Each structure stands twice: as C-alpha cells, then as structure tokens.
Amino acid sequence: MITFDESTQVFHLHNQQISYLMSVEEGNLLAHLYFGKAVSHYAGERAYPRRDRGFSGNLPDSSERDYSKDTLLQEWSGNNTGDYRVPAVIIRDENGARQTDFRYQSYRIVAGKPDLENLPHSYVVDDSEAQTLIITLTDTALNCDLALSYTIFDNWAVIARDAKLINRGSHVLHIEKIASMQIDFPKQDFQVISLPGAHARERQVERQEVGHGVTQFESRRGTSSHHMNPFIALVHPDTTEFAGEAFGVQLVYSGNHQETLERDYIDQTRVLAGINEYDFDWKLSPKDVFQTPEALLVYSDQGLNGMSNTYHHLLRERVARGKYQYAKRPIVINNWEATFFDFDSSKIQEILNNAAPLGIEMFVLDDGWFGHRDDDNSSLGDWFEHAHKLQGGLKEVSRQIHDKNMRFGLWFEPEMISTDSDLYRAHPDYALQVPGRGKTLSRNQLVLDFSRKEVVDNIFHQMVKILDNVKVDYIKWDMNRHLTEVYSAALPADQQGEVSHRYTLGVYDLAERLIERYPDILFEGCSGGGGRFDAGMLYYFPQSWASDNTDAVARLKIQTGTSLAYPMSSMTAHVSVSPNQQTGRATSFEMRGDVAMSGVFGYELDLAKLTDAEKEIVKKQVAFYKEHRQLIQYGDFIRIKSAFKGNDFAWEFVSKDKSEALLFRFKLMSLAQPEFTLTKMAGLDPKIVYEDEKGHSYGGDELMSIGFYDVPLEAADWTSKVDYFAAKERA
Ligand code: GLA
C-alpha cells in the first residue's frame, strides 16, 4: 500500500479507493502532490511548475529564482522562512527566534498502526489492515525532529495522520503552534462545510465559499464545544449528497481545536487542523517528545453520503472500543426532564413501575443524587450519596431496578467543582484560577484543574467508592460549562500555556482508568447536550447525548449535522414532553418517536403523566425499536433529503447485505395545495424484490429510480412516516 520511488523521490500511499502522493523536492522540502481517487501509476506531471514570481522569495542562500516555498504545495510548512501562508508549526528558540524550517531526512514503513500515547486514536485489530509511513523531517538549527505519520487502511478511503516533535538538542524550545495535518491543494473551486452551533442548537450544517485569505473554524472553550465541531469537509460547488468529491478532515481531539483554510494568491488552498494555537505554548526540554492529536482524512467521490459512510464505519469499527462497541444499546428512561432535582424514592419507584411494563430497559438517575445537591448551586466534586433523597440509598435503587429486570444508569460530572462543596472547602486550589483574579462562574460552578494528576486521582477514588459498592450498568459523564482562568497552581510560569491541553489529557486519563476498571459499564458522553461530540470522546465512550434540545423538529437538523461525521450508534436521542421544554413547540408523539428512534433511543419525561393511549404508543415504539435496533444502530445510514431550504427530511438505514431497509420521512410545514414530492431510496440491491409491511412488493431498482410520492401525510405541521422494506426474493 505504500511505495517510495528512489529515482523520482515520490511516496505513494494507495488502496483500491484512494491515492496520496508526496515527493521530496529540491532542498529536501516535502511537497504535496495529490490526495484523491486511486491512481495506479504516477508519471510525474504534478511536479512543481517552476516560475519566478515577484514577492515570493526563494530558498535561503539559493539564487534559484523560480522555486519558492511561498507557492510550493507542501506537507508541512514552516514559519518565517519565505512561505507567507499560515504555518503548520511555530517553535520559539531560546534566543527568541520563531523560525521553523523542517527538511526531509528519512522514512520508514511499518505494518499496522502505532498507538498514540495518552491520546485517543484510530487503531487496527490486525497489522495486515493498514500500513503506516513515518517520514522524519529535521530542523537542523533547532536540532529538532518531526515525525509525520500517515496510515492507510486497506479498504477505506482514509488517511490517519499525526505528528510528533522530538527535541534532540540542548536548548529548551517552546512550541507555539503545531498542527496535526496539512494538505496544500492545487487550484480548484472549494466550498467548505462546517458544523457551527450553540448549546441546544448543535452541529448546524453550514456551507460557504472558500475565498481568498484565511477562513478559520475553532474552539477556544477548553472543549471541542457546541459552537464549532472539530470537523470540516471541502467540497466543490457541484458536490451533492450522492455525487461529487468531498474531502473530510476530522480531529480525534476534545479540547481547543483549530481548522484553518487559506486560499493563496494563485488560488491554491492550504488546509491545517490541530490543537488551537490560541493560549498554547508547550515547553519542549531536551529529549522531550510532543505528540499531536490524530486527524482523520476521508476522501469520497460519491458525495457527502460517501464521506459520511466512511466516517461511520471508521469511528464505529476502529475508534470506538469495548464491550458495547457492537452491542445493542439499551432503551433508556432518564428522570431529568421528568423531575429535574426534585426526586425521591417514591418518584423513582413510580417511574420504574411505569417503565418496566412498557419494555424500557434502563433507568438513568440524572443530576442530584450526591452531596446535598437540590439545585445546581452546590455539591459538584462531592461524589458521595445525598443523605436524604433516596431511602436505602443508591444500593436500594439499584436493587429495585435490577429486580425489574432493568439496568441502572447514573449521572456524574467529574470535571466540575461547586464552591459550596466539601472538596472546595478542603482544596480551593483544585479549581482553575489565576492568582489574584476573580473566578468566572458559569452555572454557578468552577472547573477542576484536570491538568493535575492529584485532582484526577481524587475524583477517580471518589467514583470508585460508589462504583465498587453499587451495581451500575451505565454512566452519563456530563460537563456543563467551559474553561476560564486557564492557569494551574501546579505548573511554573513558563508552562502555563500547556494547561488547556494537559486538562484534556487529564479527562482522557480518567476516562481510560474508569473504562479499564469497569469494562461492563456503558459510558455515555455529554456536555450540556452535545458539547463534546467528537471522535476523541468516542474512543472512550461509544455514545454521546446529542443535544439538550429534544424538540423533534430541531433535532432533525441537529441529527442531520451530526450524521455528517458521526455514526448513528454514537448519537443518543430521547422522546420528551410536548410542548417541548426548550422550544415550546408542540409535536405529535409519533413524530417525536420517529426522530428519536433514528439514533440510540430513549425517553426523558414523566411516564406517570402519560395517557393510556400514549402508553400504547410508547409500547409500540419500544417494540418497533427493539425489532429494528440492529439495523438502526449498525446499518448504513443514508441522508436522502435534508430540508435546509425545502420542507422535507428523509433518511434511510440499510443492512450490510441490503436485505432490509428502513425509510424515515419528515415533513415540516403544512401547505395548502401542497406540491407532490417524490422520495427515491438509495443503497438498495437493484435486483432484490422488497416487500413493505403492508405486503406490497417493489423492485430495488424501482424504489431507487422511480421512487414514490410522499402522500398522504396528514394536513398538519411536523409529520413523519416510517416504512420498513425486507427482501422477498431476488429478481
Ligand atoms: C446537562 C445535560 C442534561 C442533564 C443536566 C443535569 O444539561 O445535558 O441532560 O443531565 O445537565 O444537570
């Protein structure tokens, strides 16, 4: 899969689907040649066209006027040596110089994929699945090596990249910026798709032209954030869901991130992604190594669905881990929107008595069971049981739940501390804070300094005390504010720029220790809804709460955006009350069920308040979901219609062998004299005859090419329809 041609100095990573080409150019600069559809042979026509250009200087100490770093397509750009575009790396030397100039040294190819130490990453199960090319570049003045790593998987259109800096000299260096990946694309018209959002409005798909200058997407909040997901896709103006090229860039990282595009003066586009340089300054002492997070690059020539499908498989099969990676995820009833903090044993008993006969499989006790937490003003950091709320305590709750043949889930917010807590009274320095300055409260809480091992240890031991004593089957790990006063009492002045990355490493450390100690617990990530929905967390927790917004209509957009980069098995979705508590919108029970059922399903409402008719609907929804759970959680997901401008959403799940499919259709606003709209399915076997639940037969090719009208949906706003098709026979 990886070759190096000594005579042309060209590296070629290739499989059946993609090729990635680079060359060692004059001056030992590592040039980017190509990333895209597989080519079997490369003759050399992408070599840098030589031309003297005004105001783009030449290599240091060279009089060769038609060769400039400023226009060369590169794999790794330096700083302050003639490439005026955004650099991939900036390192400050002891003398204050911030120049970086890495040149090719050597390469090696290894079978499989080396692990990234202390960071989440994609992996192989067998070394024959992938090969990794490690190219070493050196900045001789800094005496620093850079190992660029490229993994190609045998049957996916994916390149996984990361970079490692090694200080081989005697100077103390400071990394001010280091990307995880760089690609410089030759001239072409690009648009970029990103996933901006907000709390309760996560991952809204945005598509814009890539104009001249710098376009940047980032989070400075200490987490990947609701506000900008660590994912972008470069597409052409004619790329659709089903056709055209798409280049995905996704970081396996949960902290401050930065995705940068620069369209230069001859219309080439540079793409960089990695840890955000904002507030970042890493001390690299002699012999130290710095490892960047991983970036997952995906190529598709089958539109956005092609790209998403590759990410879905990759994240599900080679990033997520553990017992629940492929397991059926239980249907949840969560007490949060039913009770908020106001629960006691009898309320829980009532929820259980209602949930069990409906077929719901797990009860999750949300916020409020610990310390003296009766509202959100206290007790974070005190992970011992609330003295009065639950008779017999958590042990008794767990026993009652298991007696009903259900499973027990529990909420934690490990990274936080309330000023009204025993932990804060004992260790006020455990909270992030800058000496002599005020501490910013958000939701009336502070953030623990997870860059310190003793802080992470403290929380770990408190959690262990609970989890070793109470049978818990699931943990919802929440994180309900962003970082401020990013400063650590434990680090010297010249390392304060490391705190936010070290914080993220602390989160990963605690997550890893917990999943190792409790392999039978299913973990769900959460950060005020979908505020840390990223591939980094997915490495530890196979699912994540997609949004605090449970309004079915808002969820159509949130779940569509999420599906661009993340598999449906990672996205949890619950039915809640109508009118919805976040938007005030009233939707039918059916519509709420159909939207929530498109992910990892559950309920988040007071079951006792449901009418008998509604309970019957719940029973049906639960039974339907159980019957099709495998298909929804592990089948291929295809976006058919995404109504960012129109009025319809439609999506589909197809099994691997194409023998069954589920089609979900949603109509937004009701119109008088509506148009007749058609839906055509996708991803089916054209030769299979499928039967729907009414016993009607359709050819696979008929469903895909002819399709059917979307009538008759009732005359109301926000309606939905689900159809199931199973293979009857082969045509
Ligand atoms: C966050 C979560 C909610 C709930 C509350 C509890 O907002 O996203 O689901 O757990 O915290 O405080």
Side-chain angles (χ1 to χ4, degrees):
M1 288 189 277
I2 300 175
T3 56
F4 180 61
D5 184 331
E6 289 285 348
S7 62
T8 57
Q9 299 278 294
V10 168
F11 291 100
H12 190 177
L13 294 86
H14 53 94
N15 61 22
Q16 295 287 323
Q17 300 174 53
I18 51 165
S19 281
Y20 194 107
L21 287 153
M22 326 172 236
S23 64
V24 181
E25 281 289 326
E26 200 179 320
N28 284 332
L29 288 171
L30 186 62
H32 177 78
L33 298 175
Y34 174 77
F35 174 42
K37 197 174 172 66
V39 292
S40 52
H41 179 70
Y42 169 69
E45 290 308 310
R46 273 280 174 96
Y48 177 69
R50 306 288 164 134
R51 187 182 186 103
D52 184 3
R53 292 186 189 269
F55 295 91
S56 285
N58 312 114
L59 259 50
D61 309 321
S62 163
S63 54
E64 181 79 57
R65 290 179 56 153
D66 55 5
Y67 184 58
S68 174
K69 282 185 189 168
D70 198 29
T71 49
L72 178 68
L73 301 179
Q74 292 174 72
E75 282 295 314
W76 203 263
S77 54
N79 186 47
N80 193 22
T81 75
D83 182 346
Y84 293 99
R85 295 167 292 181
V86 187
V89 60
I90 305 175
I91 296 171
R92 193 172 71 249
D93 201 351
E94 280 178 354
N95 64 2
R98 298 165 72 244
Q99 198 171 37
T100 46
D101 190 357
F102 284 91
R103 307 294 181 99
Y104 175 77
Q105 274 293 317
S106 62
Y107 78 94
R108 66 197 170 92
I109 296 169
V110 297
K113 182 175 188 299
D115 288 345
L116 272 69
E117 229 174 284
N118 303 325
L119 277 168
H121 55 268
S122 60
Y123 57 86
V124 294
V125 170
D126 187 307
D127 273 354
S128 66
E129 289 174 9
Q131 265 185 348
T132 300
L133 168 66
I134 299 160
I135 298 182
T136 301
L137 312 181
T138 300
D139 184 318
T140 44
L142 289 174
N143 214 339
C144 191
D145 282 352
L146 175 74
L148 298 180
S149 173
Y150 301 78
T151 298
I152 180 160
F153 292 84
D154 59 356
N155 59 14
W156 280 326
V158 175
I159 302 279
R161 289 187 57 175
D162 66 81
K164 213 190 268 188
L165 271 179
I166 306 128
N167 184 352
R168 301 220 180 271
S170 54
H171 292 187
V172 172
L173 306 176
H174 279 264
I175 311 168
E176 293 188 1
K177 172 182 186 174
I178 182 162
S180 296
M181 61 76 65
Q182 172 180 334
I183 295 186
D184 285 353
F185 286 97
K187 175 182 165 62
Q188 54 201 295
D189 276 335
F190 272 133
Q191 295 181 336
V192 60
I193 294 176
S194 58
L195 298 174
H199 174 232
R201 187 165 37 81
E202 294 87 343
R203 293 174 295 285
Q204 305 290 302
V205 178
E206 190 165 276
R207 184 166 176 163
Q208 58 186 288
E209 304 295 328
V210 179
H212 287 104
V214 174
T215 308
Q216 188 136 294
F217 307 94
E218 62 180 336
S219 166
R220 303 175 176 200
R221 294 168 171 271
T223 73
S224 51
S225 87
H226 314 77
H227 302 75
M228 193 61 75
N229 197 259
F231 160 83
I232 54 168
L234 282 156
V235 295
H236 297 132
D238 59 356
T239 302
T240 65
E241 285 286 13
F242 291 99
E245 290 190 299
F247 300 86
V249 177
Q250 174 165 177
L251 286 173
V252 189
Y253 189 58
S254 314
N256 286 342
H257 60 90
Q258 183 177 37
E259 298 76 34
T260 309
L261 305 175
E262 182 168 5
R263 182 162 168 176
D264 70 16
Y265 73 91
I266 52 170
D267 285 340
Q268 304 178 126
T269 302
R270 171 164 294 172
V271 183
L272 294 163
I275 293 179
N276 200 332
E277 67 193 285
Y278 164 77
D279 220 11
F280 178 82
D281 186 305
W282 192 277
K283 182 178 177 183
L284 198 70
S285 296
K287 297 199 176 63
D288 274 4
V289 175
F290 182 80
Q291 170 70 63
T292 72
E294 180 169 275
L296 298 171
L297 317 185
V298 164
Y299 170 75
S300 163
D301 61 352
Q302 286 163 37
L304 293 168
N305 270 313
M307 174 197 71
S308 299
N309 187 266
T310 303
Y311 275 126
H312 294 174
H313 281 278
L314 174 68
L315 297 190
R316 205 159 56 196
E317 294 161 32
R318 294 294 180 267
V319 175
R321 300 175 294 165
K323 183 174 165 176
Y324 295 93
Q325 184 183 2
Y326 299 111
K328 288 183 182 172
R329 311 284 170 71
I331 301 172
V332 160
I333 173 76
N334 178 306
N335 73 311
W336 178 243
E337 290 196 21
T339 67
F340 296 105
F341 295 100
D342 182 22
F343 59 82
D344 56 22
S345 294
S346 68
K347 276 198 185 162
I348 288 173
Q349 195 59 51
E350 195 182 359
I351 295 176
L352 291 177
N353 289 341
N354 278 294
L358 299 174
I360 294 172
E361 298 162 316
M362 181 158 75
F363 172 76
V364 178
L365 183 58
D366 210 281
D367 194 354
W369 58 267
F370 50 91
H372 63 99
R373 187 145 164 112
D374 295 317
D375 55 36
D376 58 12
N377 293 315
S378 82
S379 305
L380 293 166
D382 288 353
W383 300 106
F384 50 80
E385 292 189 42
H386 194 293
H388 323 295
K389 269 193 184 169
L390 302 169
Q391 278 166 28
L394 289 177
K395 244 191 167 146
E396 178 57 17
V397 174
S398 172
R399 191 193 60 73
Q400 289 168 354
I401 292 168
H402 289 107
D403 274 358
K404 292 208 181 300
N405 250 336
M406 288 174 68
R407 295 190 236 176
F408 178 35
L410 197 58
W411 182 96
F412 284 92
E413 195 178 354
E415 299 151 73
M416 295 294 148
I417 183 164
S418 307
T419 48
D420 178 6
S421 67
D422 291 359
L423 187 65
Y424 190 78
R425 284 181 280 273
H427 301 284
D429 61 305
Y430 276 14
L432 285 176
Q433 58 198 288
V434 179
R437 291 190 184 269
K439 296 186 272 297
T440 305
L441 286 166
S442 179
R443 211 191 187 202
N444 214 357
Q445 63 197 52
L446 298 172
V447 184
L448 282 169
D449 181 358
F450 261 39
S451 74
R452 290 169 67 176
K453 190 171 177 309
E454 66 272 34
V455 175
V456 174
D457 285 347
N458 180 301
I459 299 299
F460 175 71
H461 293 307
Q462 288 197 59
M463 291 178 77
V464 160
K465 255 196 192 159
I466 297 277
L467 299 173
D468 278 358
N469 281 309
V470 181
K471 183 163 168 37
V472 170
D473 308 293
Y474 157 107
I475 286 176
K476 176 173 168 186
W477 173 316
D478 212 336
M479 199 274 186
N480 278 320
R481 61 157 290 178
H482 290 142
L483 277 56
T484 52
E485 288 80 40
V486 180
Y487 183 98
S488 176
L491 284 172
D494 64 349
Q495 286 188 271
Q496 290 300 330
E498 300 176 13
V499 178
S500 120
H501 180 54
R502 285 186 185 276
Y503 176 92
T504 306
L505 296 177
V507 171
Y508 291 151
D509 175 36
L510 181 59
E512 184 70 31
R513 284 200 254 169
L514 289 170
I515 61 171
E516 217 171 78
R517 189 178 174 111
Y518 304 104
D520 292 334
I521 294 183
L522 167 63
F523 283 81
E524 175 164 328
C526 176
S527 174
R532 206 159 48 187
F533 208 115
D534 58 64
M537 294 316 290
L538 195 72
Y539 181 72
Y540 306 94
F541 309 154
Q543 61 188 49
S544 192
W545 182 224
S547 178
D548 275 351
N549 191 343
T550 47
D551 168 43
V553 177
R555 274 286 184 135
L556 288 173
K557 287 191 181 174
I558 293 169
Q559 292 177 198
T560 297
T562 308
S563 79
L564 273 190
Y566 305 98
M568 306 317 272
S569 58
S570 67
M571 199 187 302
T572 57
H574 297 170
V575 174
S576 65
V577 288
S578 174
N580 180 270
Q581 287 174 351
Q582 291 85 11
T583 62
R585 186 182 283 120
T587 51
S588 70
F589 217 106
E590 287 81 358
M591 162 96 174
R592 279 175 274 153
D594 291 344
V595 174
M597 247 186 248
S598 303
V600 176
F601 189 46
Y603 292 86
E604 191 141 341
L605 41 71
D606 192 344
L607 293 172
K609 292 199 180 125
L610 297 185
T611 63
D612 287 348
E614 285 173 330
K615 281 188 183 158
E616 279 312 305
I617 300 176
V618 173
K619 243 189 215 166
K620 273 199 199 131
Q621 288 175 339
V622 166
F624 185 87
Y625 191 76
K626 284 181 182 168
E627 194 181 330
H628 300 296
R629 170 160 41 192
Q630 185 68 26
L631 177 57
I632 292 170
Q633 292 180 355
Y634 299 103
D636 282 346
F637 176 81
I638 305 171
R639 290 178 300 274
I640 304 284
K641 293 183 189 175
S642 300
F644 295 106
K645 291 202 182 91
N647 202 25
D648 300 300
F649 278 85
W651 53 57
E652 191 185 316
F653 297 88
V654 190
S655 63
K656 195 171 170 211
D657 65 359
K658 300 180 188 295
S659 67
E660 52 173 354
L662 267 173
L663 175 68
F664 287 72
R665 285 180 285 164
F666 306 94
K667 193 167 283 295
L668 301 184
M669 304 308 292
S670 177
L671 302 169
Q673 301 301 347
E675 66 236 0
F676 293 133
T677 58
L678 281 170
T679 293
K680 296 178 185 178
M681 293 179 71
L684 303 174
D685 184 335
K687 294 202 162 50
I688 286 182
V689 174
Y690 293 87
E691 193 173 78
D692 69 12
E693 286 182 300
K694 290 195 193 102
H696 297 156
S697 297
Y698 311 83
D701 47 6
E702 176 190 347
L703 289 169
M704 292 192 289
S705 300
I706 299 178
F708 36 73
Y709 282 120
D710 296 322
V711 278
L713 296 173
E714 58 193 294
D717 289 341
W718 338 116
T719 54
S720 61
K721 188 166 189 318
V722 183
D723 292 287
Y724 174 69
F725 300 87
K728 193 176 154 197
E729 61 197 46
R730 257 175 198 278

